[in-house]
């Protein structure tokens, strides 16, 4: 039977290989994910000569399976299979026999790099970049670089877009003749007929510039950058803005003004809002890349313009950057720049007509207080915060509340509670449930920031009504059991008599959350009677939640109460007419830690002793 | 122009038998791809048929340019909107080809609500050899497996497959009347009666509304969007036409929402010709940019107009398509024909325009010579490879030989959809359930 042993180990692999072509996408995906197992079983030789050629055309085959099934919705899974294949091949070097043979992986990845699905293509490029590092310098020139050239001069733009991502990985490791060729190919792709390829080239421009010698950056990259930044398609121009960041970091300060700034200025005033949006979105990166001097002279006015842009999307993107921009201003005249140039624009934005702009501003405006210090905050910022807290748009109010903590650090609790607390209490009664929810979510935070006042308690009451149980626990932990007994517990227990069964259930949920934090005494004396009483509720949902609650609070109760009060009730519930009530009662009985004595009485005999 | 039409030969027509033609067979759109090698039609039954041009062969030179069926697939199925209790027809409203990006072809097809991206690809190899089955397909006993077998590819007969790659749904409350692919090859717009949505071709779960003309109160509704198209080169410019006879040009660079147009093309109404039907017949049924991007062409019920993008106050050229119907508007209103939506197309060099009419007639206008011709697409009057004769319609008076009286026109035979090969003089004309392809005489 020695032969049969060999078969036993082969059989699972045989299944995996066959399932590479199974009609079920899940099985195919499974096989692809175990590709390394297949390769290991086949050995490096057969992997190279048989498996890889098959994988090279696998994507063609997959599409066929799809047509047979003709199920539209499996298509996304299909991409997943190809995606998995592209990813696997990036880790295949050892399985084909080590770095010596790594070039065998190129054909299947090349074929994947031309499919129309961007995610698959990108993954194939990622794997190609990875295995390029495992090529010896000779192999890189003999195998890898020709592949890059083939892709770069391919008929279809899918292959040319993929090529754009590969230049930067082979450039540093090839001879100067090949380097010149690579630069030429990149140049060609930058002026490709299809915008898809120009976009791919523009998005890789910065990365390619990083591996180029500085002289070539100045001679080649700058002209490409200028050309792409004035492309007729705004979808290309906006990507040049991204490249601007990397290029500016590479150049010495004295060249920036002449080589980069004209293009950047032009982009900040581009006719297309999408390009200006990109400038606004990348503003902090740009600011870091060009340094303090240019920032002061050029970027500050540009930023002001973006904050006043006619397109709301641009204003919103700029508003998002207000804090970061101010933080990164040169320290010596930061306050002066903010007070004279930025703050006036910010003030206008507070009453912007577009709510996205206001909410973007609200999410960062609080951060200005740390930069401007206490006095400026109280004088200039606080009125803005207050205005935003009363904004008609809930998102704006939310964003202010979510960032209260940083103001607190600057102006102190007294000032904060005096000016903002009334507005916050008002928000707790807001008509929009999202705002109330946010208030509840920030309750523990607020409680940490603000002194415990009557008005804060009112907020807590709202929290209870909204059944914010997990926050209740945190609050009790913060303020202690005594506070809970006086403020929260009565409110919670009061709801047990509410005509709405959902509110009655809230009582149970709150008790679940509170029992542990409140301790044995309060739980047994105050909460338990209420829970037990509710076991007679006419709504089955309440009754089975009673069973669940009893199980939950069981560990907190003293054993006497457990034995004499809880158990009879659970046993009664276990004979309830409702199936669910019965089920949960039985669950509770078997899950509760009754005393040994009770165990003997228990009818359950399947216990370990 | 007449010479040109004289040399026009009926090349081949894809005729489904009249007797068995059903409503589902009626062709609802026809479109050449950017190379002209493929031609797609959509029908009321939700099917898309793709034709491919025969390769030139020396043995049969006369077959050059013949189009044969390449792929047929069901693009849309009838659906039911349970929320609104509305049936959603499977009828293909528009087909637009994407520029070729790899060996496969891609097209967008749309019905009233859902746009789909289809991939049409070829396959001529298949993998062979299983481990668990022998070559005859019998399951092998696992214990007999002593070695592993990796499948190998074997050649097979060419198969053409169509697969739906993306489904863009749930973005339109009203009926989609047009789709247009942007020259950035990244986005497209879909347009319904009141809104224009911008999609990324790779993202199906979100689209951006860029035009919305829905009034807060629907009773104040005075116009609807009838058609929209992207500029062929400027990726930021698109135009949409309205039921009031105006065209708006929008610049997407200016703002994310294109509620404000940057140009507004409208011809002031001539008060002397005003009638009950003025508003209906001025509604624009189609708008098309010229290939060079300088002009816009619009079709209303009776005319085709060419507009210069630089001149908003009046059209550059106006061509009468079937002015003889002006006196019959009343009966055309009664039989609903007045609401027919005729499309219009440019030839490859923007020098000739073509649009349809009734009685299986279609019209061509030469913009340089100002000559025009009426041609007929019908199987009764034309055999394959026959030369098309120009037709004339007479109004009242004495009818000359080979003229047809306006009263004997068949209004059920309408040519709404036509398309022109992007580089050559080959046209495709959809006449109810028949597709006719005409081309210049070869010799």
């Amino acid at each position: 039977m020695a032969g049969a042993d060999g078969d036993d180990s082969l059989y699972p692999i045989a299944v995996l290989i066959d399932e590479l072509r199974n009609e079920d996408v899940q099985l195919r995906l499974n096989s692809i994910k175990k590709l390394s197992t297949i390769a290991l079983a086949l050995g490096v030789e057969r992997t190279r000569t048989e498996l890889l050629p098959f994988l090279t055309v696998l994507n063609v085959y997959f599409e066929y399976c799809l047509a047979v099934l003709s199920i539209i919705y499996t298509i996304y899974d299909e991409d997943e299979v190809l995606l998995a294949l592209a990813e696997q091949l990036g880790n295949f070097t050892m399985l084909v026999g080590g770095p010596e043979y790594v070039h065998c992986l190129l054909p299947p990845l090349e074929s994947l790099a031309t499919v129309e699905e961007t995610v698959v293509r990108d993954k194939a490029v990622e794997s190609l970049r990875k295995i390029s590092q495992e090529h010896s310098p000779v192999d890189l020139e003999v195998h890898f670089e020709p592949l890059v050239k083939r892709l770069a001069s391919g008929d279809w733009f899918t292959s040319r877009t993929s090529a754009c991502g590969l230049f930067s990985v082979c450039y540093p490791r090839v001879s100067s003749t090949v380097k010149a060729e690579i630069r030429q190919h990149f140049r060609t792709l930058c002026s490709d007929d299809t915008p898809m390829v120009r976009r791919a080239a523009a998005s890789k421009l910065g990365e390619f510039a990083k591996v180029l010698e500085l002289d070539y950056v100045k001679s080649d990259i700058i002209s490409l950058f200028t050309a792409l930044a004035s492309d007729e398609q705004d979808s290309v121009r906006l990507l040049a803005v991204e490249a601007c960041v990397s290029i500016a970091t590479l150049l010495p300060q004295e060249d920036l003004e002449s080589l980069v700034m004209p293009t950047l200025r032009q982009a900040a005033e581009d006719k297309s809002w999408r390009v200006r949006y990109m400038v606004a979105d990348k503003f902090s990166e740009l600011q870091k890349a060009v340094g303090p001097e240019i920032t002061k002279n050029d970027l500050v006015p540009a930023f002001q313009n973006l904050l006043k842009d006619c397109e709301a999307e641009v204003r919103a993107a700029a508003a998002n950057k207000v804090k970061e921009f101010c933080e990164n201003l040169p320290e010596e005249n930061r306050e002066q720049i903010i007070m004279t140039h930025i703050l006036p624009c910010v003030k206008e934005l507070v009453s912007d007509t577009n709510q996205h702009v206001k909410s973007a501003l609200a999410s960062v405006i609080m951060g200005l207080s740390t930069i401007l210090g206490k006095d400026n905050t109280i004088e200039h910022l606080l009125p803005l915060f207050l205005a935003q807290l009363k904004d008609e748009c809930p998102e704006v109010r939310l964003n202010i509340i979510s960032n209260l903590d940083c103001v607190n650090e600057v102006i102190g609790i007294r000032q904060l509670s005096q000016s903002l607390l009334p507005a916050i209490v008002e928000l707790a009664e807001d008509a929009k449930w999202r705002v109330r929810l946010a208030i509840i979510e920030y309750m523990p935070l607020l409680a940490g920031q603000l002194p415990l006042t009557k008005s804060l308690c009112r907020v807590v009451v709202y929290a209870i009504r909204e059944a914010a149980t997990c926050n209740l626990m945190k609050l009790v932990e913060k303020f202690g059991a005594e506070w809970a007994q006086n403020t929260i517990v009565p409110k919670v227990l009061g709801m047990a008599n509410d005509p709405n069964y959902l509110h009655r259930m809230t009582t149970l949920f709150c008790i679940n959350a509170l029992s542990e934090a409140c301790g044995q005494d309060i739980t047994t004396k105050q909460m338990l009677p209420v829970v037990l009483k509710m076991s007679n509720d006419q709504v089955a949902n309440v009754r089975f939640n009673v069973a669940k609650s009893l199980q939950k609070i069981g560990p907190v109760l003293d054993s006497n109460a457990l034995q004499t009060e809880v158990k009879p009730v659970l046993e009664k519930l276990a004979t309830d007419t409702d199936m669910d009530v019965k089920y949960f009662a039985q669950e509770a009985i078997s899950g509760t830690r009754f005393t040994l004595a009770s165990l003997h009485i228990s009818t359950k005999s399947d216990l370990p002793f | 122009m007449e010479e040109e039409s004289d040399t026009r030969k009926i090349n081949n027509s894809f005729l489904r038998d009249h007797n068995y033609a059903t409503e589902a067979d009626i062709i609802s759109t026809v479109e050449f791809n950017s190379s002209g090698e493929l031609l797609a039609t959509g029908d009321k039954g939700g099917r898309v048929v793709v034709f491919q041009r025969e390769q030139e062969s020396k043995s049969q030179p006369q077959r050059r340019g013949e189009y044969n069926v390449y792929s047929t697939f069901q693009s849309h199925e009838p659906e039911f909107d349970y929320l609104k209790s509305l049936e959603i027809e499977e009828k293909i409203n528009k087909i637009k080809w994407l520029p070729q990006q790899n060996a496969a072809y891609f097209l967008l097809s749309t019905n009233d609500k859902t746009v789909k991206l289809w991939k049409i690809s070829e396959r001529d190899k298949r993998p062979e050899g299983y481990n668990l089955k022998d070559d005859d397909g019998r399951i092998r006993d696992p214990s007999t497996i002593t070695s592993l077998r990796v499948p190998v590819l074997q050649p097979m007969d060419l198969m053409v497959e169509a697969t739906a790659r993306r489904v863009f749904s749930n973005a339109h409350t009203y009926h989609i009347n047009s789709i247009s692919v942007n020259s950035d090859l990244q986005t497209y717009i879909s347009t319904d009666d009141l809104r224009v949505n911008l999609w990324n071709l790779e993202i199906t779960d979100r689209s951006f509304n860029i035009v919305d003309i829905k009034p807060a109160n629907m009773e104040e509704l005075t116009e609807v969007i009838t058609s929209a198209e992207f500029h062929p080169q400027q990726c930021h410019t698109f135009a949409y036409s309205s039921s009031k006879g105006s065209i708006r040009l929008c610049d997407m660079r200016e703002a994310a929402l294109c509620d404000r147009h940057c140009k507004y093309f409208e011809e002031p109404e001539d008060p002397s010709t005003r009638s009950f039907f003025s508003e209906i017949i001025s509604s624009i049924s189609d708008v098309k940019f010229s290939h060079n991007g300088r002009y816009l062409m619009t079709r209303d019920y009776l005319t085709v107009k060419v507009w210069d993008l630089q001149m908003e106050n009046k059209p550059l050229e106006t061509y009468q398509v079937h002015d003889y119907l002006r006196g019959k508007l009343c009966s055309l209103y009664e039989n609903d024909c007045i609401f027919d939506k005729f499309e219009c197309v440019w030839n490859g060099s923007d020098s000739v325009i073509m649009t349809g009419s009734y009685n299986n007639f279609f019209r061509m206008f030469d913009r340089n010579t100002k000559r025009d011709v009426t041609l007929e697409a019908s199987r009764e009057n034309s055999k394959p490879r026959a030369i098309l004769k120009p037709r004339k319609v007479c109004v009242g008076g004495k009818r000359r030989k080979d003229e047809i009286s306006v009263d004997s026109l068949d209004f059920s035979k309408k040519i709404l959809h036509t398309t022109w090969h992007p580089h050559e003089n080959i046209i495709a004309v959809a006449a109810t359930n028949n597709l006719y392809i005409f081309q210049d005489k070869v010799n």
Side-chain angles (χ1 to χ4, degrees):
Chain A
M1 290 303 282
D5 285 348
D7 298 345
D8 283 351
S9 64
L10 281 185
Y11 185 72
I13 310 287
V15 173
L16 281 180
I17 294 179
D18 283 5
E19 283 182 352
L20 278 174
R21 296 145 66 193
N22 199 292
E23 282 184 11
D24 184 335
V25 183
Q26 271 312 315
L27 290 179
R28 259 183 285 156
L29 187 58
N30 183 43
S31 265
I32 286 286
K33 287 188 171 159
K34 296 207 173 98
L35 212 52
S36 51
T37 315
I38 298 178
L40 214 55
L42 288 172
V44 293
E45 175 90 33
R46 290 191 70 192
T47 299
R48 288 198 302 267
T49 54
E50 294 179 47
L51 184 62
L52 288 182
F54 174 59
L55 294 179
T56 307
V57 287
L58 200 58
N59 57 337
V60 182
Y61 178 69
F62 282 165
E63 279 152 22
Y64 160 69
C65 289
L66 261 179
V68 172
L69 293 171
S70 76
I71 303 169
I72 294 164
Y73 301 98
T74 60
I75 286 156
Y76 301 102
D77 306 335
E78 198 56 45
D79 296 331
E80 217 174 306
V81 177
L82 292 182
L83 191 67
L85 176 60
E87 186 171 7
Q88 290 277 312
L89 290 175
N91 304 317
F92 238 57
T93 310
M94 288 326 286
L95 294 167
V96 293
E100 203 180 330
Y101 294 102
V102 67
H103 58 86
C104 297
L105 295 172
L106 298 180
L109 283 172
E110 182 176 354
S111 126
L112 287 168
T114 61
V115 302
E116 68 276 3
E117 206 54 53
T118 315
V119 277
V120 177
R121 232 163 45 218
D122 288 350
K123 187 55 88 179
V125 169
E126 195 184 311
S127 287
L128 278 171
R129 289 167 67 112
K130 202 164 164 187
I131 64 166
S132 76
Q133 304 306 318
E134 282 150 358
H135 280 72
S136 66
V138 178
D139 278 352
L140 203 67
E141 282 196 26
V142 177
H143 298 287
F144 197 86
E145 207 268 336
L147 166 130
V148 178
K149 276 192 210 158
R150 264 198 310 281
L151 288 174
S153 49
D155 283 341
W156 310 117
F157 68 73
T158 44
S159 83
R160 300 200 298 276
T161 49
S162 293
C164 293
L166 296 174
F167 293 121
S168 62
V169 287
C170 47
Y171 189 84
R173 299 177 57 206
V174 291
S175 67
S176 55
T177 4
V178 182
K179 277 185 176 173
E181 281 173 34
I182 292 181
R183 286 197 305 273
Q184 181 52 44
H185 274 291
F186 194 81
R187 214 175 297 139
T188 317
L189 293 182
C190 281
S191 52
D192 196 274
D193 283 343
T194 56
M196 286 290 189
V197 179
R198 295 204 302 278
R199 275 200 294 276
S203 66
K204 301 291 176 193
L205 185 66
E207 175 191 293
F208 188 54
K210 276 185 198 155
V211 298
L212 242 59
E213 297 80 358
L214 186 60
D215 283 345
Y216 289 120
V217 172
K218 286 189 197 171
S219 59
D220 282 28
I221 296 291
I222 294 297
S223 65
L224 295 176
F225 167 63
T226 321
L228 290 169
S230 46
D231 195 279
E232 56 171 17
Q233 297 245 342
D234 50 2
S235 60
V236 179
R237 292 204 300 278
L238 64 88
L239 289 170
V241 175
E242 247 180 311
C244 186
V245 177
S246 338
I247 295 173
T249 355
L250 295 173
L251 291 174
Q253 191 71 31
E254 62 269 22
D255 289 330
L256 282 179
E257 180 53 49
S258 60
L259 297 180
V260 175
M261 285 318 289
T263 313
L264 181 57
R265 274 185 215 118
Q266 178 194 319
E269 289 168 6
D270 197 282
K271 194 166 185 232
S272 168
W273 68 270
R274 291 205 295 165
V275 178
R276 299 198 303 273
Y277 173 91
M278 202 61 170
V279 175
D281 196 47
K282 300 274 164 223
F283 217 84
S284 310
E285 286 94 328
L286 288 168
Q287 185 187 7
K288 278 179 204 149
V290 297
E293 201 52 36
I294 296 181
T295 297
K296 210 168 62 190
N297 302 333
D298 265 286
L299 294 195
V300 171
F303 194 63
Q304 279 176 289
N305 287 337
L306 292 172
L307 287 173
K308 292 187 224 157
D309 198 278
C310 57
E311 171 56 40
E313 299 278 346
V314 179
R315 292 201 301 278
N320 251 324
K321 300 287 163 190
V322 164
K323 181 191 159 207
E324 247 179 293
F325 179 75
C326 294
E327 257 172 5
N328 295 333
L329 284 170
E331 203 139 340
E332 64 271 17
N333 36 24
R334 185 199 285 165
E335 194 178 318
Q336 178 255 328
I337 294 177
I338 298 175
M339 295 309 291
T340 52
H341 298 290
I342 306 297
L343 204 59
C345 302
V346 169
K347 276 182 183 157
E348 272 174 50
L349 288 185
V350 167
S351 49
D352 198 278
T353 49
N354 184 295
Q355 65 175 59
H356 298 294
V357 177
K358 288 188 290 189
S359 89
L361 183 70
S363 65
V364 297
I365 191 174
M366 312 292 270
L368 287 181
S369 51
T370 28
I371 305 170
L372 287 178
K374 186 174 175 178
D375 293 339
N376 282 328
T377 301
I378 293 172
E379 193 185 336
H380 298 285
L381 292 178
L382 219 45
L384 301 182
F385 300 159
L386 275 173
Q388 292 216 299
L389 265 182
K390 291 182 184 138
D391 197 279
E392 57 185 9
C393 162
E395 196 97 1
V396 177
R397 304 194 293 264
L398 273 183
N399 286 344
I400 292 289
I401 296 160
S402 330
N403 291 300
L404 272 182
D405 47 340
C406 41
V407 188
N408 181 17
E409 283 162 23
V410 181
I411 64 172
I413 223 140
R414 178 175 301 244
Q415 188 73 38
L416 186 68
S417 57
Q418 263 178 15
S419 39
L420 295 184
L421 199 62
I424 291 170
V425 173
E426 211 172 288
L427 284 180
E429 299 168 42
D430 201 282
K432 291 271 185 298
W433 67 270
R434 277 182 200 283
V435 177
R436 297 200 301 274
L437 183 69
I439 293 274
I440 291 161
E441 272 167 8
Y442 285 102
M443 273 309 303
L445 181 79
L446 290 177
Q449 311 287 332
L450 303 173
L452 192 57
T453 60
K454 246 197 194 129
S455 40
L456 187 61
C457 290
R458 265 175 65 201
V459 179
V460 175
V461 173
Y462 280 97
I464 297 167
R465 197 179 291 162
E466 303 283 341
T469 47
C470 113
N471 280 321
L472 270 185
M473 201 159 72
K474 285 190 201 145
L475 281 175
V476 174
E477 277 164 9
K478 206 157 235 153
F479 295 127
E482 197 188 330
W483 173 81
Q485 193 183 359
N486 294 332
T487 348
I488 300 183
V489 176
K491 292 279 175 200
V492 169
L493 299 183
M495 275 200 297
N497 300 319
D498 199 288
N500 184 336
Y501 86 99
L502 290 171
H503 287 167
R504 296 203 294 278
M505 295 221 292
T506 304
T507 301
L508 293 172
F509 298 147
C510 290
I511 287 175
N512 291 348
L514 288 170
S515 59
E516 205 176 323
C518 287
Q520 197 185 58
D521 200 40
I522 298 177
T523 308
T524 315
K525 287 202 180 117
Q526 297 194 5
M527 297 182 189
L528 186 61
V530 176
V531 178
L532 294 175
K533 203 178 122 209
M534 288 171 84
S535 68
N536 297 319
D537 201 288
Q538 55 188 6
V539 179
N541 289 29
V542 177
R543 292 202 302 278
F544 77 64
N545 272 301
V546 166
K548 280 165 128 183
S549 286
L550 287 175
Q551 182 177 2
K552 189 92 204 275
I553 65 173
V556 186
L557 298 172
D558 69 63
S559 56
N560 189 31
L562 207 58
Q563 201 60 37
T564 57
E565 297 180 61
V566 176
K567 205 162 154 267
V569 170
L570 280 178
E571 275 165 358
K572 195 183 99 203
L573 287 175
T575 60
D576 199 282
T577 50
D578 187 277
M579 223 173 64
D580 292 323
V581 178
K582 245 191 226 173
Y583 171 79
F584 284 110
Q586 276 160 3
E587 282 276 291
I589 290 173
S590 58
T592 307
R593 172 191 48 86
F594 291 114
T595 55
L596 267 181
S598 70
L599 281 173
H600 292 300
I601 308 163
S602 163
T603 50
K604 294 257 177 196
S605 56
D606 55 349
L607 291 160
F609 25 74
Chain B
M1 187 63 216
E2 262 164 72
E3 292 93 306
E4 194 188 334
S5 64
D6 283 340
T7 61
R8 212 161 275 286
K9 286 177 36 172
I10 181 162
N11 183 300
N12 48 13
S13 52
F14 295 87
L15 310 168
R16 290 173 186 148
D17 198 311
H18 273 299
N19 300 327
Y20 298 104
T22 61
E23 176 83 4
D25 291 326
I26 294 176
I27 297 173
S28 52
T29 182
V30 46
E31 190 84 17
F32 273 112
N33 78 340
S34 56
S35 67
E37 290 305 298
L38 298 180
L39 171 70
T41 63
D43 64 25
K44 285 201 169 176
R47 281 163 303 194
V48 170
V49 182
V50 178
F51 300 93
Q52 188 187 38
R53 196 178 189 188
E54 282 295 311
Q55 297 302 309
E56 202 161 350
S57 80
K58 283 209 174 95
S59 57
Q60 293 170 298
Q62 77 278 11
R63 284 176 64 88
R64 184 194 106 87
E66 225 168 85
Y67 283 78
N68 288 318
V69 175
Y70 179 62
S71 171
T72 304
F73 57 93
Q74 188 74 34
S75 170
H76 286 71
E77 304 271 0
E79 283 176 89
F80 191 78
D81 182 340
Y82 294 96
L83 286 177
K84 301 203 179 93
S85 273
L86 274 181
E87 277 185 58
I88 303 170
E89 277 184 69
E90 66 273 33
K91 178 189 156 214
I92 308 294
N93 290 344
K94 281 280 161 27
I95 290 176
K96 292 287 169 197
W97 289 91
L98 265 62
Q100 207 170 350
Q101 53 180 326
N102 56 17
Y105 301 95
F106 290 83
L107 63 80
L108 288 172
S109 63
T110 185
N111 68 349
D112 286 341
K113 299 284 173 187
T114 306
V115 184
K116 292 182 181 176
L117 175 67
W118 287 91
K119 173 181 180 178
I120 299 156
S121 53
E122 295 182 356
R123 201 169 66 87
D124 58 358
K125 287 196 183 70
R126 69 157 171 252
E128 273 175 10
Y130 281 95
N131 286 295
L132 306 182
K133 281 188 275 188
D134 61 22
D135 291 338
D136 302 324
R138 280 188 302 260
I139 306 286
R140 287 171 63 186
D141 177 2
S143 65
T144 63
I145 299 171
T146 51
S147 64
L148 291 173
R149 205 171 152 189
V150 177
V152 284
L153 284 165
Q154 302 292 346
M156 57 171 256
D157 289 343
L158 182 74
M159 276 183 71
V160 180
E161 297 132 7
T163 41
R165 295 293 300 171
R166 300 264 190 280
V167 178
F168 305 91
S169 52
N170 302 324
H172 286 278
T173 316
Y174 305 95
H175 289 178
I176 299 176
N177 54 43
S178 50
I179 45 179
S180 175
V181 181
N182 193 342
S183 63
D184 68 7
L185 308 185
Q186 195 176 33
T187 54
Y188 76 91
I189 48 172
S190 58
T191 309
D192 67 23
D193 298 337
L194 296 177
R195 297 189 177 106
V196 180
N197 290 337
L198 178 72
W199 299 84
N200 186 312
L201 280 162
E202 300 200 341
I203 299 168
T204 55
D205 60 357
R206 116 184 60 119
S207 70
F208 298 93
N209 178 245
I210 51 174
V211 175
D212 186 350
I213 63 164
K214 186 175 184 241
N217 179 359
M218 278 298 265
E219 280 165 19
E220 291 161 16
L221 186 69
T222 56
E223 67 178 325
V224 294
I225 304 173
T226 53
S227 179
E229 194 181 48
F230 266 119
H231 189 283
Q233 287 96 30
Q234 296 169 7
C235 68
H236 46 81
T237 309
F238 69 95
Y240 66 91
S241 59
S242 93
S243 57
K244 274 190 162 173
S246 60
I247 311 111
R248 290 174 178 84
L249 199 70
C250 297
D251 187 340
M252 302 202 318
R253 291 175 301 182
E254 279 170 16
L257 256 174
C258 300
D259 282 342
R260 273 175 304 167
H261 50 264
C262 65
K263 283 190 178 172
Y264 183 79
F265 302 87
E266 191 180 35
E267 187 169 32
E269 196 187 15
D270 178 1
S272 64
T273 60
R274 183 158 176 85
S275 74
F276 170 73
F277 302 108
S278 303
E279 206 157 297
I280 301 173
I281 62 169
S282 68
S283 172
I284 293 175
S285 50
D286 196 16
V287 59
K288 293 266 167 69
F289 278 99
S290 63
H291 293 88
N292 62 18
R294 275 197 61 187
Y295 306 106
L296 272 172
M297 167 167 56
T298 58
R299 170 72 208 260
D300 55 38
Y301 192 60
L302 294 180
T303 67
V304 183
K305 291 177 177 140
V306 174
W307 305 77
D308 189 327
L309 287 191
Q310 310 305 328
M311 188 164 73
E312 296 169 57
N313 58 350
K314 63 172 197 293
L316 199 62
E317 297 150 25
T318 302
Y319 300 97
Q320 299 298 333
V321 178
H322 36 215
D323 205 43
Y324 45 80
L325 295 182
R326 203 174 277 281
K328 294 182 67 76
L329 291 177
C330 221
S331 53
L332 290 166
Y333 180 74
E334 272 158 20
N335 64 12
D336 272 354
C337 279
I338 202 166
F339 300 107
D340 283 336
K341 290 183 176 302
F342 290 99
E343 294 170 9
C344 50
V345 288
W346 300 87
N347 75 339
S349 60
D350 299 333
S351 59
V352 184
I353 54 187
M354 170 170 65
T355 190
S357 176
Y358 292 103
N359 203 49
N360 278 348
F361 287 171
F362 59 96
R363 302 267 287 149
M364 287 189 189
F365 304 94
D366 188 313
R367 298 179 55 216
N368 299 327
T369 62
K370 301 292 173 202
R371 286 157 83 174
D372 64 275
V373 64
T374 305
L375 297 167
E376 182 179 7
S378 88
R379 69 193 309 201
E380 286 85 12
N381 298 333
S382 53
K383 295 190 183 74
R385 266 169 269 288
I387 291 169
L388 283 187
K389 287 200 188 77
R391 311 283 300 181
K392 279 214 165 65
V393 179
C394 71
V395 193
K398 231 177 73 185
R399 189 169 70 90
R400 274 187 289 168
K401 194 171 164 277
D402 66 71
E403 275 189 359
I404 180 164
S405 151
V406 68
D407 293 317
S408 53
L409 292 175
D410 186 345
F411 290 105
S412 68
K413 292 178 175 166
K414 41 191 114 177
I415 292 184
L416 302 175
H417 317 285
T418 60
T419 178
W420 203 308
H421 189 287
H423 317 297
E424 293 178 41
N425 279 332
I426 300 176
I427 55 168
V429 174
T432 39
N433 56 326
N434 300 318
L435 176 70
Y436 295 87
I437 301 172
F438 304 106
Q439 73 166 48
D440 267 354
K441 199 166 129 186
V442 184
N443 299 312

